[in-house]
Amino acid sequence: MIQNAVKKLTEHKDLSYNEVVECMREIMEGRADDLAISDFLLALKMKGESVDELKAMFDVMNEFSIKIRPIVNGRLIDTCGTGGDKIKTFNISTASAFIASAAGVNVAKHGNRSMSGVCGSADALEYFGYNLNTEPEDVKRCIEELGIGFMFAPKFHPAMKNVANARKQLGVRTTFNILGPLSNPANVNAQIVGVSDPALIDKVVTLLQRIGREEAMVFHANDGLDELSNTCINQIAWLKNGTINKFVLNAKSFKIGIAEPADLSVMSKEESVEQTFRVLNGTANEKRTGAVLLNAAASLIVANKADSFEDAIELSKKAMHGGGAYKKLKALIKSCGDVSVLEGLEKRWQNS
């Protein structure tokens, strides 16, 4: 099937939903070799993925994933970016997830090691002492009891090991870089997603609508970030009540620190983790804090905790400056990791 699909794709013809499902099942079940997978992914990338094709791939990824269904009051959300931006920032979306949780949002954070940046969410949390091999039931318990949990993508998507070699050999971004952040194993009902390519905004928000998200924001910063940025204008598509609306957001409209791209960039994993730590414990500078507050605010809005960015930013500030965000991080590490690692970092960084 994959060979026929590749031929059709190279003729710039869209595949049907069922054709993609059949190809994806071959891949997820380990019946396709690396060359066939590479050809399929590259042909799909060159043609450009349709929403139907993305939906079919998402459905099969979901079918083969390990799922959890946390029982919570209110919405369950995720915060993530698709990666691929040129500015190697610290872990903005990870920090914003803990601030949102401290503000009363239920967060099922789904992430992986870095694919394009300096430090992915999994890299950062592992550095803090989190056990990436935490069992699904323990993640579910953390979400229910602490208001936040972390799902390491390879743990919850074991069938994705069948595409690892092909993706590595291709060395370019593929459809899986789009689908990964959307394939949350906890079936969140609201989400914020950053994209580094503005052409993806419409595709991603439409896909989120098709897969049943109640509310979502998909955004791209004009500085190239796959986050909301406090350096520039942000383009946003907002899915709410079944309708998608578009608008632009200027960070200068709010009472937060305004930055230049260089203010948000880091050179190493350790620097990224340290800056994430400092944002959460309230010792980061206003420029880095501003970027995180903007993204945390979007999380609060889609979680129905605030109606506007102004209100959501103020709630996020209270969660951060009151120590709640850092307490959430520490509680998560204590529950699913080695808290002595985080305490060692406290001693090192709080005295510097």
Side-chain angles (χ1 to χ4, degrees):
M1 180 62 212
I2 290 182
Q3 187 175 2
N4 292 335
V6 170
K7 183 176 184 299
K8 189 172 179 180
L9 290 168
T10 55
E11 294 169 353
H12 294 278
K13 296 177 181 177
D14 290 343
L15 300 179
S16 70
Y17 177 91
N18 289 334
E19 285 174 326
V20 179
V21 165
E22 193 172 338
C23 290
M24 274 292 286
R25 288 207 175 116
E26 282 187 38
I27 293 169
M28 293 289 101
E29 290 170 358
R31 294 186 283 119
D33 61 32
D34 291 344
L35 181 59
I37 296 170
S38 297
D39 288 346
F40 176 72
L41 292 176
L42 193 56
L44 194 59
K45 178 183 176 71
M46 295 299 290
K47 178 192 71 71
E49 307 91 341
S50 71
V51 174
D52 281 343
E53 289 165 343
L54 290 171
K55 176 65 164 56
M57 293 181 75
F58 171 89
D59 286 346
V60 178
M61 280 186 69
N62 186 55
E63 177 186 332
F64 281 82
S65 69
I66 295 170
K67 303 169 188 67
I68 59 173
R69 294 295 180 264
I71 300 171
V72 297
N73 292 319
R75 283 184 172 165
L76 181 64
I77 78 153
D78 191 9
T79 68
C80 60
T82 59
D85 64 63
K86 304 302 181 185
I87 305 170
K88 308 303 182 185
T89 66
F90 67 100
N91 298 87
I92 293 173
S93 63
T94 305
S96 69
F98 284 98
I99 291 175
S101 178
V105 177
N106 301 301
V107 180
K109 176 72 175 148
H110 179 220
N112 207 338
R113 296 192 184 279
S114 175
M115 299 298 170
S116 59
V118 172
C119 182
S121 55
D123 298 310
L125 289 172
E126 183 180 49
Y127 201 102
F128 286 135
Y130 184 81
N131 176 15
L132 295 179
N133 200 39
T134 296
E135 294 300 324
E137 280 303 308
D138 290 324
V139 176
K140 176 178 179 289
R141 174 182 52 80
C142 284
I143 294 169
E144 293 172 343
E145 296 179 1
L146 305 178
I148 190 167
F150 180 75
M151 297 165 290
F152 182 42
K155 177 78 174 180
F156 284 79
H157 294 278
M160 285 296 291
K161 69 180 183 292
N162 294 311
V163 304
N165 286 338
R167 292 177 72 187
K168 186 175 181 180
Q169 289 167 9
L170 278 175
V172 297
R173 296 179 60 74
T174 69
T175 311
F176 288 117
N177 294 97
I178 302 171
L179 293 174
L182 309 186
S183 304
N184 189 296
N187 195 32
V188 295
N189 44 27
Q191 190 164 1
I192 63 169
V193 183
V195 295
S196 59
D197 180 356
L200 289 175
I201 294 176
D202 288 345
K203 283 184 183 180
V204 171
V205 76
T206 303
L207 180 58
L208 288 169
Q209 183 182 44
R210 291 271 300 273
I211 65 180
R213 297 291 190 262
E214 295 174 13
E215 190 165 347
M217 283 191 195
V218 179
F219 38 76
H220 169 78
N222 285 2
D223 62 9
L225 276 186
D226 64 332
E227 317 272 7
L228 287 177
S229 177
N230 60 337
T231 77
C232 61
I233 298 292
N234 299 273
Q235 304 173 49
I236 302 178
W238 187 0
L239 167 65
K240 184 176 183 180
N241 298 325
T243 302
I244 297 169
N245 292 303
K246 294 182 179 180
F247 64 100
V248 295
L249 186 77
N250 189 341
K252 292 181 180 178
S253 303
F254 310 111
K255 296 178 181 178
I256 58 173
I258 302 302
E260 295 293 331
D263 298 319
L264 307 179
S265 67
V266 292
M267 299 299 292
S268 67
K269 179 167 73 173
E270 181 171 84
E271 185 184 3
S272 179
V273 175
E274 180 180 355
Q275 294 309 319
T276 304
F277 171 91
R278 292 192 181 281
V279 167
L280 293 177
N281 77 355
T283 60
N285 66 45
E286 288 187 354
K287 295 176 180 180
R288 287 182 168 134
T289 298
V292 177
L293 288 172
L294 206 55
N295 286 271
S299 301
L300 266 63
I301 292 171
V302 300
N304 273 342
K305 296 293 183 182
D307 294 324
S308 67
F309 271 92
E310 290 88 351
D311 292 343
I313 286 170
E314 291 308 309
L315 288 172
S316 298
K317 286 179 179 178
K318 290 177 182 177
M320 182 183 66
H321 293 306
Y326 187 73
K327 287 177 183 176
K328 289 283 185 179
L329 171 64
K330 197 163 188 176
L332 180 64
I333 303 302
K334 187 174 183 179
S335 182
C336 297
D338 183 355
V339 75
S340 68
V341 175
L342 182 60
E343 290 170 345
L345 296 175
E346 286 177 2
K347 293 176 183 177
R348 185 202 312 176
W349 288 331
Q350 286 180 349
N351 295 324
S352 63

